[in-house]
Amino acid sequence: MTMTENQLGGEVPHFVAPVIQDNPTGWGPCEMPDQFKDMPYQPFSKGDRLGKISDWTGAAFQDKKYANKYASQFGSGSQYAYYHDEDESTFHLVDTTRVQKPPYQRGRFRANQRNMRGRGGRGNIQSGGMQSLGKGLKARDTYKRSQVKRWGQGRPQIKIRDASVTVKPDWSTIEEMDFPRLGKLSLPNIKDGEDIVCCGELEYYDKTYDRVNVKNEKPLQSVNRIFHTVTTTDDPVIRKLSKTEGNVYATDAILATIMCCTRSNYSWDIVIEKIGDKLFFDKRDNTEFDLLTVNETSVEPPQDDGNSLNSPRNLALEATFINHNFSQQVLRTGQNEPRYKFDEPNPFVSEEEEGEVASVAYRYRKWDLGGGIVLVARCEHDAVVQSPNGELQFLTIKALNEWDSKLANGVEWRQKLDTQRGAVLANELRNNACKLAKWTVQALLAGSDQIKFGYVSRAHVRENSKHVILGTQQYKPNEFATQINLNMDNAWGILRCIIDIVMKQKDGKYLIMKDPNKPMIRLYDIPDNTFESDGETESDDEVVEAATAFPLYSYNSSSKN
């Protein structure tokens, strides 16, 4: 029903629709309205915090910590602020009459004055009170400054680490894989490796070293033996197997580095060559890949102080020499001592090579990772031992070294090793989590029955060329992996993830590098001729530098056959 004009008593009001600008391709006005033209514009940023329509508590409860949290980073907009012509800030108080203090303030020291009235002059009371008050304030300020120094300035500055290789402009990034994502990967139900070829010969472990302790220490000797560190593509056995077995090839050291990458802090790199449907994982010749890190995962890792004994590089050289010499000293050496020989000889021994080769055996094994991926890797044993029941067991022998317990924030081995060996090992697991995990993975890949740890310390804290053996300890690799929370399903998952990514790329050369300062690894596509122009001089210089740093040790390393 409609109402007429008579019923309303007048004219019927008409609704006038407002002018609306229709923007079919977005939202907001299409053009500047006339009433806003030539008006000053306050710049803003999308990062600015939104203000409040009305703040009734701002004056009473001011946020002193974030006083300018609603201010624009381009300025506070003071050009639009309102200023009164006669602001109270322009007035000044002319009256100089001294304001009288209230009674409660005037009688602050009255009690002390009454107590000291009869025991000395009255004129020194006030100054003595103020002097004691000043001492209290001074002591409080000194305490605050000491706390600031203790919690702030006392900590050493963490230096930005350098990358293991310089990234060139013509390298393209294919993938960035951060550690939290890699830590969630899993590839379960991977069976133990199957032996393809076994080479080399092993010496027997000397069980007398199991009785070594802090009170009955033994000096670490220099063992003049040759250690071969041959990369994947330079291995003649892998070259031969690549024609008949598998499609992914690597060494146990390279696989352990990739599988334990989430525990690493220092930068490292691995080269991958894709030829058809085959992948070859290699290390560069002029790299420090084979050096052992020291206190890599410590809260305060060693700082690079140039030529200091405790710089990261010098500690790595020291740890590598200790490991090599210890692994050979604890064996039963001699012409008449028995040796365990595999069917094939050591593939890296040549007739022109002079010197005694270290006790080592190589197992070339393969694993089926599913999806048509078959991995072939070279693994190592260090020694054999006769068990009490007559069974022959293969050993992986490694050495942990103590350099300076005060600088390393560790425990004194000579005080704790015999009575609290678990505390010493727990400290090593905290400071060298990545190194111990890689050793465990290498023992599992090789199928070693036992992993033997030696505790080697400096004879003198400030001398890195003389060491003593303080004790030994052995574990089954599977049990030790459980103890250090090493998940092999996750380790296989990380390796399979990288293999799948590279398999999808075109034929060529690729590089995996751990970011020196961030918990992530990057995969680069690099030109085919990268690293080929680098001569062998850098590798030779590295050996010469190592021999100069440790004159009492002999280290002959062959990177190629």
Side-chain angles (χ1 to χ4, degrees):
M1 183 176 67
T2 59
M3 295 184 181
T4 61
E5 293 183 5
N6 294 332
Q7 291 173 329
L8 293 173
E11 295 182 358
V12 177
H14 296 283
F15 175 74
V16 179
V19 179
I20 299 175
Q21 296 183 6
D22 184 21
N23 189 351
T25 60
W27 61 277
C30 300
E31 58 184 9
M32 179 67 71
D34 295 337
Q35 62 268 32
F36 297 128
K37 287 184 178 180
D38 301 328
M39 182 176 289
Y41 172 70
Q42 169 67 34
F44 69 97
S45 170
K46 292 182 178 181
D48 290 345
R49 297 176 180 269
L50 296 177
K52 301 178 181 179
I53 298 176
S54 180
D55 185 5
W56 302 100
T57 63
F61 305 98
Q62 294 184 1
D63 192 350
K64 296 180 180 180
K65 188 175 181 181
Y66 302 102
N68 299 323
K69 66 180 180 180
Y70 295 114
S72 171
Q73 59 179 310
F74 293 100
S76 59
S78 59
Q79 61 266 38
Y80 305 119
Y82 170 75
Y83 297 98
H84 196 272
D85 293 338
E86 297 180 356
D87 194 356
E88 292 183 357
S89 62
T90 60
F91 292 92
H92 301 280
L93 182 64
V94 182
D95 188 8
T96 58
T97 305
R98 187 174 181 179
V99 180
Q100 189 176 8
K101 293 182 178 181
Y104 64 87
Q105 291 186 1
R106 294 199 305 269
R108 182 174 181 180
F109 300 104
R110 189 166 298 172
N112 292 334
Q113 291 174 4
R114 285 197 299 265
N115 292 335
M116 299 180 65
R117 214 168 257 175
R119 289 181 286 175
R122 185 176 180 180
N124 294 331
I125 295 176
Q126 191 73 13
S127 62
M130 294 303 294
Q131 187 177 3
S132 62
L133 179 63
K135 288 182 179 179
L137 294 173
K138 185 177 181 181
R140 184 184 64 184
D141 294 340
T142 304
Y143 174 76
K144 287 184 177 180
R145 286 194 297 268
S146 65
Q147 290 298 100
V148 171
K149 184 176 181 180
R150 179 181 177 185
W151 298 109
Q153 300 175 359
R155 294 183 180 180
Q157 296 291 333
I158 298 178
K159 186 178 179 181
I160 302 299
R161 302 188 186 96
D162 296 329
S164 60
V165 62
T166 304
V167 179
K168 303 295 180 61
D170 55 347
W171 295 6
S172 59
T173 304
I174 298 176
E175 190 76 25
E176 289 186 350
M177 293 163 276
D178 58 279
F179 288 176
R181 284 197 305 163
L182 292 176
K184 297 177 182 178
L185 299 176
S186 179
L187 185 63
N189 302 324
I190 299 299
K191 298 181 180 179
D192 293 337
E194 177 185 346
D195 291 343
I196 306 174
V197 180
C198 296
C199 311
E201 58 184 39
L202 296 170
E203 293 174 335
Y204 282 79
Y205 175 74
D206 189 354
K207 293 183 180 180
T208 59
Y209 281 89
D210 290 339
R211 295 190 291 271
V212 174
N213 53 35
V214 175
K215 297 180 181 179
N216 185 29
E217 63 184 29
K218 282 195 175 184
L220 185 68
Q221 301 172 1
S222 174
V223 182
N224 187 12
R225 288 185 170 185
I226 300 173
F227 292 85
H228 297 96
T229 57
V230 184
T231 188
T232 307
T233 52
D234 292 335
D235 190 328
V237 179
I238 289 183
R239 286 185 178 182
K240 183 178 180 180
L241 292 177
S242 64
K243 300 177 182 178
T244 57
E245 299 281 351
N247 52 7
V248 178
Y249 308 92
T251 65
D252 58 348
I254 293 175
L255 293 179
T257 302
I258 296 175
M259 290 178 165
C260 302
C261 65
T262 56
R263 299 182 182 223
S264 61
N265 289 338
Y266 293 160
S267 180
W268 48 264
D269 60 272
I270 293 172
V271 179
I272 306 176
E273 289 192 59
K274 184 175 186 295
I275 305 174
D277 60 344
K278 299 181 184 296
L279 297 182
F280 294 87
F281 287 76
D282 273 313
K283 63 175 183 178
R284 295 185 294 115
D285 290 336
N286 57 340
T287 185
E288 299 179 0
F289 185 85
D290 293 310
L291 296 182
L292 301 176
T293 61
V294 178
N295 281 42
E296 177 181 359
T297 57
S298 173
V299 177
E300 296 180 3
Q303 299 298 316
D304 195 355
D305 298 331
N307 294 325
S308 170
L309 293 179
N310 299 325
S311 66
R313 174 171 172 77
N314 287 337
L315 287 174
L317 286 169
E318 180 184 359
T320 305
F321 284 112
I322 289 174
N323 194 74
H324 286 160
N325 286 290
F326 175 79
S327 66
Q328 302 302 305
Q329 180 178 339
V330 297
L331 304 179
R332 290 160 52 187
T333 58
Q335 297 292 336
N336 299 327
E337 293 292 342
R339 291 194 174 197
Y340 181 86
K341 296 183 179 181
F342 282 109
D343 296 336
E344 300 292 333
N346 191 323
F348 309 121
V349 177
S350 59
E351 297 180 355
E352 297 83 7
E353 201 167 41
E354 297 181 359
E356 187 180 3
V357 180
S359 169
V360 64
Y362 303 102
R363 285 183 185 267
Y364 293 85
R365 318 185 82 190
K366 67 177 180 179
W367 294 264
D368 186 0
L369 304 185
I373 304 297
V374 178
L375 170 67
V376 175
R378 183 188 75 226
C379 307
E380 297 182 9
H381 293 303
D382 295 315
V384 291
V385 66
Q386 199 84 19
S387 64
N389 57 2
E391 182 183 358
L392 197 66
Q393 293 184 342
F394 294 94
L395 299 182
T396 296
I397 302 176
K398 302 295 179 183
L400 297 167
N401 65 298
E402 182 189 36
W403 47 287
D404 192 335
S405 59
K406 294 181 180 179
L407 295 178
N409 294 325
V411 295
E412 290 279 354
W413 284 12
R414 287 173 173 82
Q415 297 179 2
K416 302 290 185 180
L417 194 58
D418 287 347
T419 58
Q420 297 179 353
R421 184 161 296 185
V424 175
L425 184 60
N427 185 69
E428 289 300 307
L429 289 174
R430 181 171 60 253
N431 294 335
N432 297 285
C434 183
K435 179 170 67 175
L436 284 165
K438 289 196 290 187
W439 286 348
T440 308
V441 168
Q442 289 178 255
L444 289 170
L445 292 177
S448 295
D449 299 293
Q450 300 282 346
I451 179 169
K452 180 82 66 173
F453 292 117
Y455 294 93
V456 181
S457 178
R458 289 180 181 176
H460 304 285
V461 175
R462 297 184 179 180
E463 186 177 0
N464 63 351
S465 59
K466 294 182 179 180
H467 301 83
V468 292
I469 304 173
L470 300 179
T472 59
Q473 194 173 12
Q474 70 179 20
Y475 288 93
K476 293 183 178 180
N478 284 316
E479 295 177 357
F480 191 70
T482 304
Q483 183 172 341
I484 66 175
N485 198 23
L486 176 63
N487 186 355
M488 285 303 295
D489 291 346
N490 173 246
W492 287 115
I494 294 173
L495 178 64
R496 178 61 189 274
C497 175
I498 295 175
I499 291 174
D500 290 343
I501 294 174
V502 181
M503 279 293 189
K504 297 177 183 178
Q505 310 301 321
K506 64 181 186 299
D507 287 4
K509 185 178 289 188
Y510 302 89
L511 181 131
I512 303 175
M513 187 182 73
K514 160 69 173 63
D515 189 283
N517 301 298
K518 296 180 181 179
M520 67 168 56
I521 58 176
R522 291 187 176 92
L523 178 64
Y524 294 96
D525 183 358
I526 61 179
D528 293 341
N529 59 352
T530 309
F531 307 127
E532 291 181 0
S533 60
D534 298 341
E536 298 296 328
T537 56
E538 295 189 15
S539 297
D540 297 338
D541 292 343
E542 183 176 326
V543 174
V544 172
E545 181 184 350
T548 305
F550 297 89
L552 298 182
Y553 292 108
S554 177
Y555 175 71
N556 297 320
S557 174
S558 174
S559 61
K560 289 188 178 182
N561 186 26

